[in-house]
Amino acid sequence: MTAVAEQATYINDQAIFDCLSRTAQPEPARVRDLFAKAREMQGLTFDEVATLIALQDPELTEELFHTARAVKEEIYGSRLVMFAPLYISNRCTNECSYCAYRASNRELHRITLTQEEIAAEIKVIIEQGHKRILMVAGEAYPNSNSLEYVYKAIETIYATRSGNGEIRRVNVNIAPLPVDDFRKLKACGIGTYQCFQETYHRETYAKVHPRGRKSDFDWRATVMDRAMEAGIDDVGIGPLLGIYDWRYEVLAMLQHIHHLEERFGCGPHTISVPRLEPAAGTDFTATTPWKVSDADFLKLIAILRLTVPYTGMIMTTRESAEVRHKCFQIGISQTSAGSRTDPGGYELAAGDFNSSQFAVGDTRPLDAVVREIAQMGFTPSFCTACYRLGRTGTDFMDMAKPGEIKYHCEPNALSTFTEYLEDYASPETKAAGEQLILTHIAEMDAKQQRIAKPMIAAVRSGQRDVFV
Ligand code: SAM
Ligand code: SF4
């Protein structure tokens, strides 16, 4: 029997449209007050976010980026957490207009990986140097029997080993579940449960999701209520940018965050900012009027960084190097690399567009991306410590807020990056990485150095999985 969805009453359209109809430019003094407040890591209210969304002035927009950069540096330093997506099945019973996996897309080559194939994919990913996976699947499990396939896949991923490597955290992006199934998913040892609302605008949502389970707006918009009720306290949310007006999506997502904070005492662990990509047999991306320009994309990332300073922000390497560089400085804390969006794509070594969910612009292997990121001055982090030490949900926030993150995440980033350099890096990447480690150690305070130096030495002498 299909579970009936609770109503998503947290979205207040009137409040959002009232804000968006105010076109007058905010007073510079008011905007600068907001920047000062954000620098105190206090976040911003709904009205304050609306004020920044309206901002057009180029000078103040530059100040917005400077402020976001200061907040990002204070909380995340130069760390960037790396992960790889793993698509296990592109079968789907839904009809999302923008996605190549939609049921009616005859051009798509359908694949569901066997457990052996999943293990083979994971070996390739481990041998690249990854420790963190985002497992993704279409929605082709109308009953919880076939969910067993998903649970088994998680078990297979954790059980697969290659050389010194293993996957230490499996995050999952699958369709919304009822509470009981979320309990089973949690029991599999997942890290973050991620699900994007795509659009919070009910009417637009109905147009782009005409059929299938996903056409029930409320079922999707209340998904995190059920996940958190089931005890999954690291959840990841996000709009799919380009379906509707990004300004609406940011304000509605903020209402979603406030709702979760009120109900569970903790907001989402991460926010993703995917932009629509071209997809096989799909002309939606060519026809949508809501494409998000680079300028607006950067602005929305900076605004989100000020609004929810302690929430991780994820982007993929599909974005150009220039856009990524700026995004890493002003807010992004996690990025994928070496990605394939077709089931089996890692083993095949070349992504097959006709079985992919969307086009991957950047198909370089992890080594090349890591080198580029290190040369940009960011530390690629393969850390998975928090969730394994139970620092999730409110416990993570409690640690993050007093600035303690510096004494955990920075050393963990350097020790896991050292592990990557020892086990997987090419000579050029190793040289760039060693230089980066020297620079960052020199920039650390004495307490950080006391923690980080022995950890790095332990990894160099052969220990693995060293974290605090
Ligand atoms: N089927 C599940 C669902 O829809 O929630 C989970 C997997 S689905 C493949 C993961 C996400 O891919 C979707 O939530 C959507 O935001 C994103 N996606 C779909 N089509 C896309 C496209 N053309 N460009 C970028 N992202 C896309
Ligand atoms: Fe299926 Fe998810 Fe793609 Fe929609 S976005 S067609 S539910 S895989």
Side-chain angles (χ1 to χ4, degrees), residues 98-99 136-137 173 196 198 214 220 240 277 318 357-358:
Y98 44 83
C99 179
V136 187
N173 183 326
F196 304 149
E198 323 298 14
K214 193 162 166 181
R220 191 149 185 112
L240 179 51
E277 293 292 322
R318 277 173 269 155
Q357 194 201 1
F358 48 76

Side-chain angles (χ1 to χ4, degrees), residues 54-319:
L55 191 64
Q56 299 283 350
D57 180 81
E59 200 182 313
L60 286 170
T61 305
E62 242 350 275
E63 285 180 40
L64 165 71
F65 293 143
H66 282 299
T67 313
R69 190 175 178 160
V71 171
K72 155 103 207 258
E73 272 175 17
E74 174 66 23
I75 296 176
Y76 297 92
S78 63
R79 293 186 312 285
L80 262 182
V81 171
M82 311 299 297
F83 72 95
L86 174 73
Y87 285 72
I88 58 170
S89 171
N90 60 11
R91 279 177 218 285
C92 193
T93 49
N94 289 315
E95 208 36 59
C96 312
S97 318
Y98 44 83
C99 179
Y101 287 7
R102 69 190 185 285
S104 66
N105 186 3
R106 303 265 171 268
E107 288 183 29
L108 195 81
H109 175 205
R110 303 280 166 182
I111 302 171
T112 296
L113 299 181
T114 63
Q115 299 300 324
E116 290 70 30
E117 287 166 337
I118 290 172
E121 286 282 277
I122 285 296
K123 276 203 168 161
V124 177
I125 295 173
I126 291 174
E127 283 156 15
Q128 284 195 15
H130 280 291
K131 302 285 185 265
R132 186 185 279 246
I133 283 291
L134 173 66
M135 194 186 89
V136 187
E139 182 167 10
Y141 33 88
N143 58 55
S144 45
N145 279 347
S146 37
L147 267 175
E148 295 305 324
Y149 165 74
V150 171
Y151 304 146
K152 184 79 191 133
I154 299 169
E155 197 183 313
T156 301
I157 296 172
Y158 278 129
T160 303
R161 298 271 181 284
S162 185
N164 281 336
E166 78 247 296
I167 295 301
R168 298 174 185 157
R169 176 174 178 135
V170 181
N171 298 333
V172 173
N173 183 326
I174 59 168
L177 301 175
V179 175
D180 284 350
D181 288 329
F182 271 131
R183 289 209 176 90
K184 292 182 197 156
L185 191 64
K186 179 179 162 66
C188 296
I190 63 159
T192 306
Y193 170 69
Q194 188 183 69
C195 183
F196 304 149
Q197 181 54 35
E198 323 298 14
T199 173
Y200 286 92
H201 189 244
R202 206 177 265 270
E203 217 175 287
T204 306
Y205 186 95
K207 281 189 199 142
V208 297
H209 303 106
R211 283 183 295 285
R213 186 69 179 108
K214 193 162 166 181
S215 61
D216 183 342
F217 178 89
D218 291 299
W219 180 247
R220 191 149 185 112
T222 56
V223 58
M224 294 314 177
D225 294 83
R226 295 189 301 282
M228 291 177 96
E229 200 181 317
I232 299 176
D233 51 7
D234 275 0
V235 298
I237 63 171
L240 179 51
L241 297 166
I243 295 186
Y244 189 58
D245 187 343
W246 68 268
R247 302 169 311 152
Y248 177 96
E249 304 294 9
V250 167
L251 289 171
M253 183 164 65
L254 196 55
Q255 292 177 338
H256 191 186
I257 293 170
H258 289 159
H259 162 73
L260 295 176
E261 283 171 348
E262 269 168 32
R263 184 161 175 187
F264 299 99
C266 183
H269 185 62
T270 54
I271 291 174
S272 294
V273 287
R275 284 201 281 188
L276 265 180
E277 293 292 322
T282 308
D283 57 12
F284 184 85
T285 39
T287 54
T288 171
W290 295 112
K291 263 194 198 147
V292 179
S293 68
D294 285 355
D296 284 341
F297 188 51
L298 293 171
K299 190 169 146 187
L300 83 86
I301 288 173
I303 292 173
L304 286 173
R305 181 40 66 238
L306 268 46
T307 308
V308 281
Y310 297 99
T311 304
M313 235 196 292
I314 305 178
M315 79 184 294
T316 65
T317 44
R318 277 173 269 155
E319 301 292 345

